[in-house]
Amino acid sequence: MRYAFISDIHANLEALEAVLEDIETQNIDDIICLGDIVGYGANPNECVDLVRKECSVVLLGNHDAAAVELLSTQHFNIHAKIAIEWTTQTLRRDTKDYLTELPMKAAVDPITLVHATPYEPNMWYYITSLEEAAFNFQFFETQICMVGHTHIPIIIVLDSQKELYVHQDMGIGLSDIDGARLLINVGSVGQPRDRNPKSCYGIFDSDNGDFSYRRVAYNIDKTQQKMKKIKMPEFLISRLEDGR
Ligand code: ZN
């Protein structure tokens, strides 16, 4: 099976469409979405409709939860709060119902799937250090765990000698790492923050054990024009072209 993993779309329809088009060229059997379909961008309903149609597994993200009032925005920054308020008012009843029912955790052999962290995924913690990664390796049993949430693609390896490190290439093969376990952040489709403005997603081939990232250009200008029209904060608009 060849899986595509998408995450953190954040209502950016141009980015999602570009990524889905790229996925069509990659011989993919199943598309899996790790959450945050909405929040920040101008097309929450359209993005939910597309994800619902195209993905076999879809997880709840913290912005999705906040948009349907399953989560308070008290810990969100002011820009995110403004975006969530607009999103809550804009989502249709049926898209809200769909988001409300999404799970926080799933698995496809040999991968555990969560939006934020395998440790208490409902708390929306971030993995931003090797210490936090080391802690989280204790909370999944599979060889691999895929996450989103930070919008920064990264592959963290726990090798058979229990050594923990960041893998430096943008791809990895299970056949080369001899029983090591992996914590992989698949990056963000709609708001990349690794100084590369292109959309990011991951592909895993369960037959040969290879994982790799794809970067896809999309019409950032069009997305930004739409965000201006609905008066999203300038910071959220300009960060897209910088990938930060
Ligand atoms: Zn996000």
Side-chain angles (χ1 to χ4, degrees):
M1 288 282 278
R2 277 174 67 77
Y3 298 100
F5 296 91
I6 63 175
S7 190
D8 297 274
I9 296 147
H10 287 292
N12 184 339
L13 183 62
E14 289 69 34
L16 177 60
E17 285 177 340
V19 162
L20 289 173
E21 233 170 79
D22 190 72
I23 286 173
E24 262 179 50
T25 70
Q26 297 299 310
N27 223 353
I28 298 299
D29 299 299
D30 263 338
I31 310 174
I32 290 168
C33 175
L34 299 181
D36 275 5
I37 308 168
V38 305
Y40 301 139
N43 292 105
N45 287 305
E46 294 82 352
C47 287
V48 172
D49 287 343
L50 258 183
V51 165
R52 192 175 185 175
K53 183 167 146 246
E54 300 291 338
C55 298
S56 58
V57 178
V58 182
L59 297 183
L60 182 77
N62 53 319
H63 287 255
D64 307 318
V68 296
E69 293 163 285
L70 290 173
L71 175 68
S72 148
T73 56
Q74 59 169 333
H75 297 299
F76 281 48
N77 67 47
I78 183 70
H79 308 298
K81 259 185 207 164
I82 291 168
I84 288 298
E85 265 169 41
W86 179 86
T87 303
T88 303
Q89 286 162 18
T90 305
L91 281 173
R92 303 187 311 257
R93 184 73 258 165
D94 66 300
T95 40
K96 273 187 188 165
D97 290 346
Y98 172 74
L99 292 174
T100 303
E101 297 297 316
L102 293 177
M104 288 191 198
K105 197 174 178 180
V108 289
D109 188 49
I111 308 166
T112 298
L113 308 158
V114 288
H115 178 69
T117 55
Y119 172 69
E120 298 193 1
N122 58 314
M123 295 303 290
W124 314 110
Y125 296 125
Y126 291 87
I127 299 173
T128 56
S129 68
L130 279 181
E131 289 75 26
E132 284 156 351
F135 175 74
N136 273 282
F137 268 102
Q138 304 169 66
F139 295 93
F140 63 96
E141 268 98 59
T142 51
Q143 188 174 12
I144 307 172
C145 179
M146 302 258 190
V147 302
H149 200 40
T150 65
H151 299 204
I152 295 177
I154 191 169
I155 300 172
I156 299 170
V157 180
L158 180 64
D159 71 15
S160 46
Q161 317 300 312
K162 299 276 175 241
E163 206 151 335
L164 189 72
Y165 58 91
V166 176
H167 184 70
Q168 292 304 335
D169 293 329
M170 291 311 272
I172 194 162
L174 292 185
S175 54
D176 303 326
I177 54 168
D178 186 34
R181 298 176 70 216
L182 305 176
L183 184 58
I184 298 176
N185 190 306
V186 301
S188 168
V189 168
Q191 196 199 74
R193 293 180 191 162
D194 62 335
R195 300 270 162 191
N196 178 352
K198 289 182 178 176
S199 291
C200 183
Y201 76 97
I203 293 177
F204 179 72
D205 187 320
S206 63
D207 296 330
N208 62 19
D210 285 348
F211 173 84
S212 60
Y213 292 104
R214 302 268 307 166
R215 301 304 292 243
V216 183
Y218 71 95
N219 191 340
I220 294 177
D221 187 58
K222 189 174 172 189
T223 302
Q224 290 177 317
Q225 294 306 329
K226 286 184 184 174
M227 289 170 79
K228 270 191 194 124
K229 239 186 192 162
I230 58 167
K231 299 189 172 63
M232 277 294 154
E234 182 50 40
F235 169 71
L236 295 178
I237 297 171
S238 66
R239 73 186 306 178
L240 291 180
E241 74 210 43
D242 303 325
R244 69 186 162 94

